[in-house]
Amino acid sequence: MREEQADDELDARLKEFEGRPAAVTGVGRDPVNAPMIRHWCEALGDTNPAYTGPDAIAPPTMLQAWTMAGLTGHRGRTGAYDELLDLLDAAGCTAVVATDCEQEYLRPLRPGDEIAFDTVIEEVSGRKTTRLGTGHFVTTRTDVRVGGEPVATHRFRILKYAPAPRTPRARRPRPVVNRDNAGFWQGVAEHRLLIQRCTACGTPRHPWLPGCNSCGSPDWDTVEASGEGTVYSYVVLHHPPFPAFDPPYAVGLIELAEGVRMVSNVVGVPYDEVRIGLPVRLEFQRCDEELTVPVFRAVRR
């Protein structure tokens, strides 16, 4: 109950900042100008003819470009805004992330317009829990004017939050190692991909088995794979997510040069570029201090 009361008291204190100035009345560092408009349009590939010529207007979404302080920082920030951030810091909300902005345009800006603006703390939300952590959304509103005439409004929202505790990344599931396949995993630990081969009929096989599928002989030896192969088939895993794996990812049925096929991850290319027939080459991926697995990296040609 005391914790809830403390949260209510903090919310009430935060609400007292609503309507207070976040920045002193400011002016744009430069008038709206054609060179900046040209740079903006070139950077974005915007060829709208409205932004060129003697009657040019500025792209509406450039609004913040005319009001930003630049690399010199927030020299015009008010004490009220600093107090608000300090209060959130003291409450454990020491991290910050920008979440979104909203802009309203009342009339186009044109080269030569000189910008003036005021910024207020419009809203401080109650306590919110997000995936990043628990905190408060702070919205500031900047009213932009030219010659005393309102021309636009810009709302900017941040989340000041206490970072959620990070859970340790889950370990990749352990392979089932038994007396039939222990030699395979021992080879992997040594960065060798060993393929069983029947000593009676010479048939290679994978996965490892106690006897030959072709002739039934229990006798076998091994041959080390060259590591060359191609994607015989594949699937892309999107859902459901499993701990220690980050979907989407491609799992391929790899046909090795030695004539056997094995299942493993295809790496080195985006999952949506994996194709049947894609050449791949073996490599060994260390998952943690205990586990190494064979994967196949796409060979670019």
Side-chain angles (χ1 to χ4, degrees), residues 33-271:
N33 61 85
M36 185 68 78
I37 293 172
R38 183 177 68 254
H39 295 324
W40 177 281
C41 291
E42 288 177 353
L44 296 183
D46 192 337
T47 58
N48 191 320
Y51 307 143
T52 61
D55 297 322
I57 62 173
T61 51
M62 282 190 75
L63 179 63
Q64 198 175 9
W66 312 120
T67 62
M68 292 181 71
L71 297 177
T72 54
H74 303 283
R75 290 181 297 179
R77 200 158 69 184
T78 63
Y81 194 71
D82 286 334
E83 288 175 29
L84 171 60
L85 298 184
D86 289 344
L87 181 59
L88 288 167
D89 284 341
C93 300
T94 55
V96 63
V97 63
T99 61
D100 65 289
C101 70
E102 304 170 14
Q103 294 183 341
E104 180 182 1
Y105 316 113
L106 304 179
R107 79 149 172 87
L109 296 176
R110 296 180 173 82
D113 283 344
E114 296 189 352
I115 299 297
F117 56 92
D118 295 291
T119 303
V120 299
I121 303 166
E122 185 172 61
E123 182 183 18
V124 184
S125 77
R127 188 178 179 87
K128 303 290 184 182
T129 299
T130 73
R131 189 170 182 177
L132 291 175
T134 299
H136 299 263
F137 290 93
V138 178
T139 304
T140 54
R141 187 190 75 241
T142 299
D143 296 312
V144 182
R145 304 179 305 279
V146 173
E149 173 194 3
V151 293
T153 299
H154 174 82
R155 287 180 173 85
F156 189 72
R157 189 170 293 111
I158 63 171
L159 172 65
K160 279 281 286 177
Y161 64 98
R166 291 190 176 185
T167 56
R169 182 177 176 85
R171 293 200 315 169
R172 187 160 175 153
R174 309 289 99 171
V176 176
V177 180
N178 54 41
R179 64 182 183 180
D180 292 326
N181 66 11
F184 172 80
W185 288 107
Q186 180 60 41
V188 169
E190 298 169 356
H191 287 199
R192 303 166 64 217
L193 185 64
L194 300 179
I195 299 170
Q196 271 186 317
R197 179 176 58 187
C198 177
T199 54
C201 68
T203 301
R205 64 179 183 262
H206 187 84
W208 282 32
L209 296 170
C212 178
N213 282 331
S214 296
C215 70
S217 172
D219 300 322
W220 54 271
D221 61 8
T222 61
V223 59
E224 185 173 350
S226 66
E228 304 298 320
T230 57
V231 175
Y232 184 83
S233 184
Y234 70 95
V235 295
V236 174
L237 276 296
H238 290 271
H239 190 80
F242 293 97
F245 294 89
D246 296 317
Y249 54 92
V251 176
L253 178 60
I254 309 301
E255 186 163 61
L256 298 177
E258 290 72 22
V260 298
R261 298 171 188 155
M262 67 177 295
V263 175
S264 187
N265 290 98
V266 180
V267 301
V269 292
Y271 69 90

